[in-house]
Amino acid sequence: MTQGSAKNDYFRMFHSYPDVVHVDELREMLGGIGRTTAYALLKSGRIESVKIGRVYLIPKINVIRFLYESEK
């Protein structure tokens, strides 16, 4: 996968997910990572999110950005 088409490939892969996902959906999108790892990515800011109360809301574009940047 070339980097030029990588972003488009991610958009196609995740087309069925809503524009804003929760932690369980994030875990699915990242191949079934553990809950602790998912929260660590969010708390560290590696994946940008918004926290409202105890709930993390993660824009899908930020998950795609994280994956795209990880490939570089």
Side-chain angles (χ1 to χ4, degrees), residues 41-60:
L41 288 169
L42 296 171
K43 288 177 184 177
S44 71
R46 290 188 61 202
I47 298 177
E48 292 181 40
S49 64
V50 175
K51 188 175 181 187
I52 300 176
R54 294 173 43 181
V55 177
Y56 281 94
L57 301 175
I58 308 117
K60 177 171 62 174

Side-chain angles (χ1 to χ4, degrees), residues 14-46:
F14 299 135
H15 77 276
S16 63
Y17 287 92
D19 289 338
V20 177
V21 299
H22 293 97
V23 173
D24 287 337
E25 293 164 314
L26 169 68
R27 292 174 58 211
E28 263 180 39
M29 293 169 84
L30 296 181
I33 64 171
R35 196 169 203 75
T36 304
T37 302
Y39 280 108
L41 288 169
L42 296 171
K43 288 177 184 177
S44 71
R46 290 188 61 202

